[in-house]
């Protein structure tokens, strides 16, 4: 009965080993998550139900994909992806407006659902990472809020801790390993000669003045279809996802404008992170810096394994810079003194550890910026 209810692809789905494995994976991983959600109840249970709906929609799309030819571009796949767009929009709507109860739980669910966009992967150069990498990158975005749940309830409520751990395992290793085994190159599409999917019929508008309006239907494709240099395609794709989830409206429209008198550089009571006097170290400090360097390791500023920038043991350097970086990479800064680092790009996260009199200017991070075991650190986010 339960398996039949999940099998909304009919008899054709039941004979597909990949779909049967999807049911088994979801029954185990989601079963644990739902058990914790039922103990918590309220909006957490509601958000978990929306998450279950999204995973069911993703399964439906995998079944439907085998009946249609592979879309030539993201633009051609808009109608196919609309059910998933609508479900993600529903989860995002739960985080908007007045800050809801269990906000971190809501954000964890809403942000994690971007991982399901792996079903839109159409091949290398389509504007997004390969499916398993896409799931990992999307979970990194959600994990920022999921970790907040773990920290908040660590010594307060085991049910919330169990829910947060189960949510993580649903994606990593759960969904990631499932995709790696069955769909490493994306969904399996039908033969080229079969009929393409038809556009979804427009949903009739509901009568006005009866309760709050439903979330606005996405007005833009899940992924950008603009042609651009290859290196910028993944960024375009994810920015289009956020535009999609935002219902097509400008996500910055509710922010206040920063006037000139609010800027730190124009305020007498504030000082900038990097001042003109920091251009070169004073002679006296230079001699002390040499002693400090000899007691520590070799200075480093390098990219390791293509994923992690390491900046270590830099002393008296005001001209440090990282230019070639992307949102998949992290930066770890350790044991630096009397130095300034400029990060010219968006990265996943930045950690400053055991540094003294250190300044850093960065553009943006996906997850978090943290400072630990430091003294006299100045940070500026652009």
């Amino acid at each position: 009965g339960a398996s039949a209810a999940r099998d909304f692809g009919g008899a054709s789905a039941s004979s597909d080993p990949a779909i049967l494995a999807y049911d088994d994976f979801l029954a185990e991983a989601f079963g644990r998550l739902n058990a914790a959600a039922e103990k918590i109840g309220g909006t957490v249970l509601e958000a978990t139900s929306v998450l279950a709906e999204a995973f069911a929609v993703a399964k439906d799309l995998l079944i439907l994909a085998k009946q249609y030819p592979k879309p030539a571009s993201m633009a051609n796949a808009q109608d196919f992806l609309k059910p998933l767009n609508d479900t993600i929009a529903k989860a995002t709507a739960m985080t908007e407006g007045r800050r809801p109860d269990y906000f971190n739980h809501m954000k964890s669910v809403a942000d994690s659902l971007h991982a399901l966009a792996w079903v839109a992967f159409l091949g290398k150069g389509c504007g997004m990472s390969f499916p398993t990498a896409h799931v990992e990158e999307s979970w990194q975005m959600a994990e920022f809020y999921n970790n907040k749940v773990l920290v908040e309830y660590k010594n307060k409520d085991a049910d919330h801790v169990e829910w947060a751990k189960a949510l993580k395992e649903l994606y990593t290793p759960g969904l990631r390993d499932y995709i790696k085994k069955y769909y490493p190159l994306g969904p399996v599409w039908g033969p080229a000669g079969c009929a393409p999917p038809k556009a979804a019929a427009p949903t009739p508008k509901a009568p006005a003045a009866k309760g709050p309006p439903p979330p606005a239907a996405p007005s833009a494709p899940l992924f950008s279809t603009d042609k651009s240099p290859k290196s910028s395609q993944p960024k375009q794709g994810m920015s289009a996802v956020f535009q999609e989830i935002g219902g097509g409206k400008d996500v910055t429209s509710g922010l206040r404008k920063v006037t000139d008198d609010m800027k730190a550089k124009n305020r007498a009571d504030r000082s900038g992170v990097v001042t003109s006097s920091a251009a070169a170290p004073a002679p006296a400090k230079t001699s002390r810096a040499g002693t400090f360097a000899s007691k520590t390791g070799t200075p480093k500023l390098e990219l390791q394994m293509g994923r992690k920038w390491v900046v270590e043991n830099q002393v008296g350097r005001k001209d440090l810079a990282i230019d070639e970086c992307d949102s998949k990479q992290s930066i770890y800064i350790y044991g630096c003194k009397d130095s300034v680092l400029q990060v010219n790009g968006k990265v996943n996260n930045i950690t400053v550890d055991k540094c003294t009199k250190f300044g850093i200017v960065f553009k943006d991070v996906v997850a978090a910026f943290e400072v630990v075991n430091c003294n006299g650190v100045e940070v500026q986010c652009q």
Side-chain angles (χ1 to χ4, degrees), residues 47 49-55 57-58 61 81-96 106-120 134 138 141 171 215-218 221-223 238 240-247:
S49 298
V50 175
L51 184 143
E53 179 184 341
F55 269 83
V57 168
L61 294 181
L81 298 170
K82 187 177 184 303
L84 182 60
N85 288 344
D86 292 345
T87 310
I88 296 176
K90 187 187 301 184
T92 303
M94 297 181 70
T95 68
E96 296 173 344
M106 304 297 106
K107 283 290 288 180
S108 297
V109 169
D111 287 359
S112 73
L113 287 181
H114 295 302
L116 295 183
W118 76 268
V119 299
H134 175 78
S138 300
M141 180 170 60
Y171 290 97
L222 184 63
F223 286 88
M238 288 312 296
V241 169
F242 290 121
Q243 180 183 3
E244 176 70 24
I245 302 310

Side-chain angles (χ1 to χ4, degrees), residues 73-86 88 114 117 120 122 126-128 217-227 235-249:
S73 66
M74 288 295 179
N76 293 26
Q78 288 179 37
D79 291 328
F80 177 78
L81 298 170
K82 187 177 184 303
L84 182 60
N85 288 344
D86 292 345
I88 296 176
H114 295 302
L122 299 178
C126 71
M128 62 182 291
S219 58
L222 184 63
F223 286 88
S224 170
T225 56
D226 294 338
K227 292 184 178 180
K235 296 180 182 178
Q236 282 189 341
M238 288 312 296
S239 63
V241 169
F242 290 121
Q243 180 183 3
E244 176 70 24
I245 302 310
K249 61 181 182 246

Side-chain angles (χ1 to χ4, degrees), residues 184-310:
L185 301 178
V188 177
W189 298 91
C194 57
K198 296 180 180 179
T203 306
K205 293 184 178 179
K210 279 198 174 184
S219 58
L222 184 63
F223 286 88
S224 170
T225 56
D226 294 338
K227 292 184 178 180
S228 61
K230 184 177 178 181
S231 63
S232 65
Q233 285 179 342
K235 296 180 182 178
Q236 282 189 341
M238 288 312 296
S239 63
V241 169
F242 290 121
Q243 180 183 3
E244 176 70 24
I245 302 310
K249 61 181 182 246
D250 182 2
V251 296
T252 62
S253 59
L255 302 180
R256 290 188 301 166
K257 180 175 176 59
V258 178
T259 58
D260 288 340
D261 62 314
M262 295 166 66
K263 295 179 181 178
K265 67 179 183 179
N266 296 328
R267 294 177 59 172
D269 61 333
R270 298 284 181 91
S271 62
V273 172
V274 185
T275 62
S276 58
S277 62
K285 289 186 178 180
T286 304
S287 59
R288 288 199 302 270
T291 305
F292 177 84
S294 64
K295 293 180 181 179
T296 59
T298 305
K300 289 183 182 179
L301 198 167
E302 62 187 23
L303 178 61
Q304 297 180 348
M305 305 296 289
R307 300 299 290 261
K308 181 178 180 180
W309 284 95
V310 173

